[in-house]
């Protein structure tokens, strides 16, 4: 629920039903997600939360496991694979061409030699959300719009 104003008196659902919407182009079927706000929100805050939620869920759904020979990166033999670093990957058979985040690393020594298994994901899976910063940002934008659009000021 959000704080009402004089313009909302004839439309109580505006104050009681703030709404945010995000659509992932990669998902073709209708898959709604309803969440309950943990404080006072506006439509703009709900929209930002919906966008963040969609991006994080998309990032978590895009996972890839890659096995490479050796414990170190090809370009820099002294540097082992590290978690939380970006890696460029191009694999036409997997339809992947871009940068992915290393979410996990598993080093193995076997009869075949040194083997590293990399768990890769989209960086959006680990985006953080600071709701207080988000609220301040949205409220500042709303105040700026109100200040410039109000003919009485």
């Amino acid at each position: 629920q959000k704080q009402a104003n004089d313009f909302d008196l004839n439309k109580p659902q505006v104050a009681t039903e703030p709404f945010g919407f995000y659509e992932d182009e990669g998902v073709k079927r209708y898959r709604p997600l309803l969440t309950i706000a943990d404080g006072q929100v506006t439509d703009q805050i709900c929209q930002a939360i919906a966008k963040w939620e969609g991006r994080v869920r998309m990032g978590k759904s895009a996972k890839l496991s890659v096995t490479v020979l050796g414990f170190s990166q090809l370009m820099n033999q002294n540097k082992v694979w590290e978690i939380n670093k970006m890696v460029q990957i191009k694999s036409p058979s997997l339809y992947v061409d871009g940068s992915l985040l290393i979410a996990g690393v598993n080093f193995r020594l076997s009869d075949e030699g040194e083997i590293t298994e990399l768990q890769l994901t989209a960086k959006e899976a680990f985006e953080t959300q600071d709701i207080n910063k988000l609220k301040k940002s949205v409220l500042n934008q709303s105040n700026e719009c109100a200040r410039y659009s109000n003919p009485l000021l």
Side-chain angles (χ1 to χ4, degrees):
Q1 187 168 351
K2 69 177 183 177
Q3 184 176 3
N5 60 39
D6 292 339
F7 301 109
D8 297 337
L9 291 177
N10 296 328
K11 300 179 276 181
Q13 70 275 11
V14 171
T16 59
E17 300 172 7
F19 180 78
F21 179 80
Y22 178 79
E23 184 174 359
D24 185 346
E25 300 293 327
V27 178
K28 300 300 179 201
R29 59 180 262 225
Y30 180 64
R31 301 216 34 208
L33 173 69
L34 302 176
T35 59
I36 297 177
D38 56 350
Q40 186 173 335
V41 294
T42 63
D43 285 343
Q44 293 92 345
I45 292 171
C46 286
Q47 183 63 36
I49 291 171
K51 182 178 179 182
W52 173 81
E53 190 76 43
R55 290 174 52 83
V56 167
R57 288 175 181 269
M58 181 280 302
K60 287 182 178 179
S61 71
K63 293 182 179 181
L64 183 63
S65 181
V66 177
T67 303
V68 295
L69 293 174
F71 291 161
S72 57
Q73 300 172 22
L74 187 59
M75 298 296 194
N76 186 352
Q77 292 294 326
N78 298 327
K79 191 163 183 141
V80 297
W81 295 100
E82 294 181 51
I83 294 176
N84 208 26
K85 299 290 184 183
M86 298 299 288
V87 63
Q88 187 71 24
I89 184 164
K90 184 173 184 173
S91 174
S93 62
L94 296 174
Y95 303 103
V96 176
D97 185 7
S99 295
L100 293 174
L101 182 72
I102 300 175
V105 179
N106 185 17
F107 299 106
R108 288 191 323 240
L109 187 57
S110 69
D111 295 337
E112 300 167 352
E114 297 175 342
I115 297 174
T116 304
E117 185 178 325
L118 303 171
Q119 290 80 38
L120 307 174
T121 188
K123 67 181 178 182
E124 288 83 4
F126 294 99
E127 276 186 8
T128 60
Q129 179 191 39
D130 184 352
I131 193 68
N132 292 326
K133 189 184 288 185
L134 175 66
K135 285 182 180 180
K136 286 179 186 175
S137 170
V138 169
L139 291 175
N140 286 341
Q141 289 173 6
S142 298
N143 290 341
E144 290 295 317
C145 293
R147 187 178 309 140
Y148 292 115
S149 65
N150 190 342
L152 300 176
L153 293 179

